[in-house]
Amino acid sequence: GQAAVRSLAAQVSTAKMELVRLANSLTEGWRKDTAAVVAERKIIEAGMDELRDQVRAGLTALETREKQRAAVNEQRLAVIQQLWRELPPDADSETVNMALQALAELDQDGHDWELFAARATEAITDAARALVAALERATKREAEAAELEELRAARRETARKDGHRTALAQISALSAAGSFDGLTSHQIRVRLERLDDMPAREWDEFAGQAQEMIHEVRQVIVDHMRAAETREAEEQRLRDEQIARDAAA
């Protein structure tokens, strides 16, 4: 009846709890065993790692040195390439010669390129070829610039001398023969003022000639001015006498 069912269910529950306690007991044992195994494994791994590092120490040091040497060689190769690749297109011959000198120092400093020897030879050859070509261009460009400047200087010198000669001609024209014909003393005095009012200038090697010409031209103008004054005075005297005679008649 119901009592029997209840009793059977209670027995089942009791049996279940016993099984759970047994399973938990077994699981706890397994966990402890697993933890012990893991701890022992870590000890073994640490020991083996240390042994591995000891065995490989020499090789690791060698690899480190090789990497360092490779880095140095790569840096030197980069410097060689920069000597010509970063050279300005309009670099002057002095700058190019400095680059060539730096290249020669890198090539002759006794550095052991080891496995980079072939790359170094190629890089140095390429750099030398490029720098020599750049030097030729710079030398040609500078020679052409010097020639052009020489031509410009010659033109400036010609223009300077022509300017002095033109000024001297203008001064000389003030006293040219026949240029005083028909001029009054006032007009000649204006010419003298023009001479004195001419802008001052640096005559350079024409200074002596200019000074002498100015003195001579001034003297000619003054002489003509005085002659004109004398002539005008005489003409005035004659007019005055004629007026007096006319008045007396």
Side-chain angles (χ1 to χ4, degrees):
Q2 294 181 357
V5 172
R6 291 192 186 94
S7 175
L8 180 59
Q11 291 177 8
V12 170
S13 295
T14 300
K16 184 195 75 171
M17 295 303 298
E18 288 296 330
L19 289 173
V20 169
R21 280 194 293 271
L22 178 60
N24 288 339
S25 175
L26 292 174
T27 301
E28 181 64 23
W30 293 338
R31 282 199 295 269
K32 289 181 180 180
D33 292 342
T34 300
V37 171
V38 171
E40 188 64 25
R41 186 196 66 193
K42 289 181 178 180
I43 294 173
I44 293 173
E45 288 178 349
M48 296 301 290
D49 288 343
E50 183 178 358
L51 178 61
R52 178 202 61 202
D53 293 341
Q54 290 175 356
V55 171
R56 205 182 188 285
L59 177 59
T60 300
L62 177 61
E63 291 175 345
T64 300
R65 289 194 298 271
E66 288 178 348
K67 289 180 181 179
Q68 292 173 346
R69 286 195 294 268
V72 170
N73 287 331
E74 290 288 359
Q75 183 178 12
R76 287 172 66 90
L77 287 172
V79 171
I80 291 172
Q81 292 175 345
Q82 289 171 357
L83 287 175
W84 63 277
R85 288 185 175 176
E86 297 185 4
L87 191 71
D90 58 347
D92 56 29
S93 58
E94 181 180 359
T95 300
V96 180
N97 275 320
M98 291 175 60
L100 281 168
Q101 180 62 33
L103 179 64
E105 292 175 358
L106 285 169
D107 185 30
Q108 300 170 9
D109 63 0
H111 177 73
D112 185 3
W113 288 96
E114 301 179 70
L115 298 179
F116 287 74
R119 289 179 59 189
T121 299
E122 182 180 1
I124 292 172
T125 300
D126 290 344
R129 185 184 300 110
L131 290 175
V132 168
L135 180 60
E136 292 176 353
R137 292 193 299 270
T139 302
K140 180 180 179 181
R141 186 169 57 248
E142 290 167 5
E144 292 173 348
E147 182 179 358
L148 179 59
E149 179 56 30
E150 184 177 348
L151 289 174
R152 289 173 176 171
R155 290 171 183 168
R156 289 194 296 269
E157 179 65 8
T158 299
R160 183 186 67 82
K161 291 182 178 180
D162 288 346
H164 288 325
R165 293 189 180 100
T166 299
L168 289 173
Q170 291 172 348
I171 294 172
S172 178
L174 294 175
S175 63
S179 65
F180 295 94
D181 295 347
L183 296 182
T184 65
S185 61
H186 174 73
Q187 290 172 323
I188 298 174
R189 185 177 293 106
V190 170
R191 184 174 293 190
L192 181 62
E193 292 173 354
R194 284 176 56 196
L195 176 65
D196 293 336
D197 291 341
M198 280 188 172
R201 63 186 299 149
E202 294 292 336
W203 288 100
D204 302 321
E205 70 271 28
F206 291 84
Q209 180 181 355
Q211 184 177 4
E212 181 179 356
M213 179 177 291
I214 292 171
H215 174 74
E216 292 176 353
V217 169
R218 177 179 282 107
Q219 188 60 50
V220 170
I221 295 174
V222 169
D223 290 345
H224 278 81
M225 183 178 66
R226 288 174 179 171
E229 290 173 345
T230 300
R231 184 181 66 254
E232 291 168 354
E234 178 63 17
E235 292 173 350
Q236 184 63 43
R237 185 185 67 78
L238 293 175
R239 285 194 297 271
D240 290 344
E241 289 179 354
Q242 183 62 42
I243 291 172
R245 285 194 298 270
D246 291 344

